[in-house]
Every structure is written in structure tokens, then in C-alpha cells.
Amino acid sequence: MAGHEHHHHHLSLCFCDLMRLLWSLVVPCAYLSLLLTLVLLLLLLGLRVWLQGRRKARRAQDGGPAVAFFHPYCSAGGGGERVLWCSLRALMNRYPGVSFVVYTGDQGVTGEQILEGARQRFNITLPRPVTFIFLRHRVLVEAASYPHFTLLGQSAGSMFLGWEALTAFVPDLYVDSMGYAFTLPVFRYLGGCKVASYVHYPTVSTDMLSAVRERNPRFNNADFISRNPVLSAVKVVYYCCFALLYGLAGSCSDVIMVNSTWTLGHILALWRSPSRTSIVYPPCDVRAFLDVPLEEEEEDEMEEGWEELGRELGSGEEEEEGGGGGGDRKCHSIVSVAQFRPEKDHRLQIRAFRKLLDRRGEGPRGRESLRLVLIGGCRNQEDEERVLMLRGLCQELGVSDRVDFKLNVPFEELKRELVDATIGLHTMWNEHFGIGVVECMAAGTIVLAHKSGGPKLDIVVPYEGGQTGFLADSEDSYAAAMETILALSPAARLEIRRNARRSVERFSDQEFEACFLAATESLMTKLER
């Protein structure tokens, strides 16, 4: 018993000694932390002074201010790239004394090749030269580099990529045109630059948080996480913390432009800067399609159905076409315009098309009268592999003979396919905007888009009381909607196409340039002083 008490007393003494040791280290640790903080602040201040000195030297040499756009995938060929080139064209025309730079991560191409790609894909030619800064570490922002904690990894990687860009060229105004919000504090606080951002899609959103809370396997929410309430709770905390950091980074922006009503709601909730935030709809090349008349082969049938025989005959034509499978043209083309990314949900398009074929049956006015054309850009090897998987799905479902893949097509071919199409198909859930949807409407194609996000809130909405398109949200509803469109009389389809074309004028290049220049005017005028 005495030995036990002695052992307990010994442990108590050891514990007291340990506590005294830790207490004696508190003050030295506090001093050390303060010293390290001061050293870090001095280092950051020194970097800021060095970078500002480089900008002053550059400006003295060039004789004017410079604006730099951060767009690591500037030759990808998507809607975000069209925003980039239209922004540059607008600023170049308005501010002749300003030089322009694009930070890109593209390798193995020249600036001339990038600009030629923009001309072929978007029909855009810049009025003046632009300087390209080729970044070597774009892999830092690619999702494949971060199997776990992808959002955090990509965001941290974007800060390092932003630092590479900043040290290569220090601009007066920095514009993030691709959604890398964590680069904004790097350029603002280290580079001393004015910063602006154009947000296509929030990196994290309340929809993502809801999907994790509901244990829905979406947004990189693996099955083993969605099935486990503890892991799901941990991921909710992770997303909430990340959303807080994302909001702090985004609030550094002097000017915030968002591309749609849907994006506006999320950015206001996260960045909390309403006075600096405005909607600037992305530029859609609607003018390129307006020279194509909508009447053509439908016009005669429309006049006959609506003027001479009235609405009853129009209804009769609708019934006949619904049973016969579209007698107004030999083949109906259903076209999708979207990059081959997972969120575009091409699998839904193919499965819905299969159901449509099953509904239509065999014969010249059934299966043989339909084809699905998937048009899109491939950014990398991962996208190319996704196309191979989609081709495999077509083989599995037995529709490969009716599905065409057209990758990285030039603008003229894109235009030709849209003009010839009957239906323009879009299936991305919560699409931030949907430039491809607008292009389809401008081309005179009847749009069938996902019932969410930008298409639902901004694009496929009634125009002067008239219908502009259709919305769906499942394989069955897509197949049913396509069948409904094909069953419409030519006159009814023409009316919808006319409404849609008139409605998309608000998304033209000219409207975008006017709104973009108005949003950035306060920053640009300060640069020229």
C-alpha cells in the first residue's frame, strides 16, 4: 500500500514539473510567435515594394498602364473563352493607350495560334496585339492533381499559379476571367493592383452544401461519404470553412461581374459585396445567325395552315405529323453544344435520345428520321477519354448509328449544324448561364434545356407573352419534350423560333461590351490618370 502511495506521489510530482516546464515556455513561445509574425509581415511588405517597383519600371518603359487577364485555359473554346476575347476587344477599342496581357497555361502553342483559334471558333479578331504570358505550372489548378480535398487543393494551387503570373508581369489592373478567386488577394495585397473578376460559376455554393447535407453523391461527394453520417458531417464543416475563405478572397475584388441571376444569388450570399456586384450577361454571337431566315421551308406551310385554313387545319397537321414523324423535313437533327465535361451530362442526352427512338419506332419517319449531334471542345486527355466512354455508351444502347460526335469544330461548321437542327439540347443541372442555349435560339433551333440555373431564370423565359423553348429535368421528361417538339406543326415551331430569336438580342456581343465597359469604367479611368 505504501509503495502504491509512493508511486502516485511520484507521478504527481512529474505532472507538476511538466506543467511548470510548459508554463515557463509560454512567454518564449509568445515572443517567438510575435517575432515570426513580424518577419512574415516584413517579408510580405518587402515583396510588395519589390513588385510595385517592377510595375513602375515597366510603366515608365511602356509609357502607359497595362491590364492583365488570368485565363489558364484561354484556348479551350468554351463560353468562358468567348467572354475573354470579347472583353479584350471592348477594352482595346475604348482605351487605345492601354496595353493588354493574358496569363495562360497553354503549352506547345504560340500566341498567333491561340488568336487564330479564337477567330475560327468565335469569329472574333482583336483590333490590337495582345501579349501572352505562358505559365508553366497549370497542373496546380487541375482537379486530377488533388484526389482528395479537391476544391482546397485547386484553390491553393491557383494562388501559387497566380504568384507565378504576378512575378512574370505586374499589371495595373488584374482581371480574373475564369473564376480563380484565391488569386485576387495575391494581386491586390502583394502586387498592389486594382482587381476585377468575372464569375461564371461559384467555386462553392449553397447547392453544394445542400447536396452534402442531404448525403447526395454529387459534387465530388463519394458514395462512402454520402452513406456515412459522420463523414458527411465532417464534409459539411469542410465546405462551410471553405465557403468562408472563398467569400473573403472574393470580397477583395474592386469590381465583381457575374453572368446570370443564378450566379448573382450565390455570389451575393458568399462574397457579400452588393455595391460592387452586377450582372453582365456573357456575349453570345447572335448576330452571326441573324442573316439566316427562319421561314425557308416552313413558310409556305405556315401560310397555308394559319392564313388559309386557320387553326383547325394547323391542329390537323400537328396530329398528322405526330403520328407520321415529321413530314416537313426528311431528317430531324438534335444538336448539343457543350464542352465534354462531366457536369454537362452528355450521358443524359444519349439515354433520353434512346428513349425517344424507342417511342418513335422503326421506319423512315421514326428512328431513321432522327440523329443526335454532340458538338463540343476537349480541353485535355481526360475530356478525350470521356468522349470514348460516351461512344461506348452509344454502342451499349444501340444508338451509335444515329449519334455523331464533332469535336473542336470551327465556327462555320457549328453555325451550319445549328441552323440545320430542329432541336437544341442542353442537360447541365444548374448551368450558370448557357451560351450554347442562346446560340441555338439565335440560330432558329427550338431549345430543350435543363429546368434549373440560367436557362430557367434568364434564357428560356417567355418573351412578350410568347413561348421561347422547353425545359426538362429527367430522361423521361426530355424524351417526352423532344417528341412534343417533333409533333408540332411547322407553323407552331416557327412561332416559337421567332419568339426565341427576338428574345436573345439582350445577350448579343454589343450588349455585353456596353455592360462590361460600364462595370469596369471606374477602374479604367483611374488607370489612365
Side-chain angles (χ1 to χ4, degrees):
M1 189 68 179
H4 178 73
E5 291 179 356
H6 176 74
H7 179 69
H8 180 72
H9 179 68
H10 179 71
L11 289 176
S12 299
L13 290 176
C14 290
F15 179 75
C16 292
D17 290 341
L18 178 62
M19 293 301 296
R20 279 193 291 271
L21 174 63
L22 292 176
W23 179 253
S24 65
L25 293 176
V26 168
V27 175
C29 286
Y31 280 121
L32 180 60
S33 298
L34 180 62
L35 177 62
L36 291 176
T37 301
L38 290 174
V39 170
L40 179 61
L41 289 175
L42 289 174
L43 177 62
L44 294 177
L45 181 61
L47 288 174
R48 180 183 171 94
V49 171
W50 173 63
L51 291 169
Q52 288 183 329
R54 292 188 59 183
R55 182 175 66 247
K56 290 179 181 178
R58 186 264 308 158
R59 186 158 180 171
Q61 181 180 355
D62 296 343
V67 176
F69 284 77
F70 187 78
H71 210 100
Y73 295 90
C74 73
S75 61
E81 288 65 58
R82 172 167 257 283
V83 168
L84 169 67
W85 304 123
C86 285
S87 302
L88 283 167
R89 182 175 62 186
L91 291 174
M92 285 181 175
N93 286 327
R94 173 68 69 88
Y95 304 101
V98 177
S99 59
F100 294 90
V101 168
V102 174
Y103 301 115
T104 177
D106 295 306
Q107 297 292 325
V109 293
T110 64
E112 291 76 13
Q113 290 172 325
I114 293 175
L115 293 174
E116 177 61 19
R119 187 192 67 79
Q120 290 185 359
R121 173 64 181 88
F122 303 116
N123 197 27
I124 294 176
T125 302
L126 298 182
R128 289 193 281 126
V130 60
T131 301
F132 288 92
I133 303 294
F134 292 92
L135 307 177
R136 295 173 297 166
H137 301 98
R138 189 174 70 180
V139 67
L140 292 173
V141 298
E142 294 185 353
S145 301
Y146 309 99
H148 306 289
F149 299 99
T150 307
L151 290 179
L152 185 62
Q154 286 182 286
S155 299
S158 71
M159 297 180 73
F160 285 102
L161 191 63
W163 173 251
E164 180 187 349
L166 181 59
T167 54
F169 184 89
V170 187
D172 297 277
L173 171 61
Y174 168 78
V175 183
D176 167 39
S177 55
M178 207 173 170
Y180 292 105
F182 286 83
T183 63
L184 298 172
V186 174
F187 277 82
R188 177 166 183 170
Y189 297 117
L190 291 183
C193 311
K194 294 294 183 181
V195 295
S197 55
Y198 188 94
V199 184
H200 300 272
Y201 196 89
T203 303
V204 64
S205 67
T206 54
D207 293 324
M208 291 182 177
L209 294 174
S210 298
V212 179
R213 286 194 187 101
E214 295 167 5
R215 294 160 66 182
N216 189 338
R218 185 179 277 167
F219 293 113
N220 299 323
N221 195 18
D223 288 340
F224 75 91
I225 293 179
S226 61
R227 288 195 298 264
N228 190 309
V230 175
L231 292 179
S232 293
V234 171
K235 191 157 189 177
V236 168
V237 173
Y238 161 62
Y239 267 65
C240 289
C241 293
F242 181 83
L244 176 63
L245 294 175
Y246 177 64
L248 291 173
S251 64
C252 295
S253 188
D254 297 298
V255 169
I256 304 166
M257 293 166 280
V258 298
N259 69 341
S260 69
T261 303
W262 182 85
T263 305
L264 175 68
H266 288 287
I267 291 302
L268 288 179
L270 295 168
W271 293 16
R272 301 180 182 276
S273 303
S275 62
R276 289 174 276 152
T277 307
S278 60
I279 296 178
V280 178
Y281 289 124
C284 308
D285 195 10
V286 298
R287 301 269 175 174
F289 299 99
L290 297 184
D291 59 340
V292 180
L294 291 183
E295 292 78 14
E296 293 191 356
E297 58 182 327
E298 281 87 355
E299 181 66 16
D300 294 338
E301 296 180 55
M302 181 201 74
E303 291 179 357
E304 180 182 346
W306 291 91
E307 295 180 9
E308 297 181 12
L309 301 180
R311 291 182 179 271
E312 289 186 3
L313 180 56
S315 299
E317 286 178 3
E318 179 176 337
E319 291 173 5
E320 178 183 348
E321 185 166 330
D328 58 309
R329 62 173 66 183
K330 294 180 180 179
C331 182
H332 288 287
S333 175
I334 302 168
V335 174
S336 164
V337 181
Q339 287 182 315
F340 288 98
R341 306 203 307 261
E343 62 269 23
K344 297 299 183 180
D345 208 350
H346 289 88
R347 296 175 64 86
L348 174 58
Q349 298 176 6
I350 295 170
R351 293 184 182 279
F353 182 66
R354 163 63 189 273
K355 291 194 173 185
L356 174 65
L357 294 181
D358 291 342
R359 287 169 179 254
R360 302 282 287 187
E362 300 293 337
R365 290 175 177 260
R367 178 189 181 94
E368 297 303 316
S369 69
L370 302 174
R371 73 183 183 115
L372 175 63
V373 184
L374 304 180
I375 302 175
C378 285
R379 302 163 300 171
N380 47 39
Q381 182 67 29
E382 184 179 351
D383 287 354
E384 293 174 3
E385 292 173 357
R386 189 169 295 110
V387 171
L388 290 177
M389 290 194 304
L390 292 173
R391 290 183 186 274
L393 178 62
C394 292
Q395 291 278 359
E396 177 186 334
L397 297 179
V399 297
S400 57
D401 61 320
R402 308 309 305 161
V403 179
D404 298 329
F405 288 82
K406 295 183 178 291
L407 313 181
N408 304 315
V409 301
F411 176 78
E412 286 304 319
E413 184 175 353
L414 168 66
K415 178 179 177 180
R416 185 168 59 251
E417 288 287 352
L418 288 180
V419 168
D420 292 340
T422 301
I423 299 174
L425 193 59
H426 165 276
T427 49
M428 179 177 172
W429 176 76
N430 267 349
E431 170 81 86
H432 40 92
F433 180 72
I435 288 181
V437 176
V438 175
E439 289 178 339
C440 288
M441 295 168 74
T445 302
I446 294 185
V447 161
L448 173 55
H450 200 283
K451 194 176 182 179
S452 64
K456 178 185 177 182
L457 297 175
D458 294 311
I459 304 175
V460 190
V461 295
Y463 177 75
E464 296 182 352
Q467 185 177 2
T468 58
F470 294 79
L471 297 170
D473 56 9
S474 66
E475 291 178 22
D476 288 330
S477 61
Y478 269 100
M482 285 188 282
E483 191 170 33
T484 298
I485 295 169
L486 295 173
L488 291 173
S489 67
R493 281 206 294 265
L494 180 60
E495 184 64 25
I496 295 174
R497 294 163 66 207
R498 282 176 169 169
N499 292 336
R501 176 172 280 189
R502 288 196 297 265
S503 74
V504 297
E505 280 290 340
R506 59 206 167 104
F507 305 128
S508 66
D509 287 1
Q510 293 73 21
E511 285 293 321
F512 167 80
E513 292 183 4
C515 294
F516 184 86
L517 290 173
T520 57
E521 184 177 11
S522 60
L523 294 180
M524 294 300 298
T525 52
K526 291 177 183 177
L527 297 185
E528 293 191 310
R529 291 175 185 171

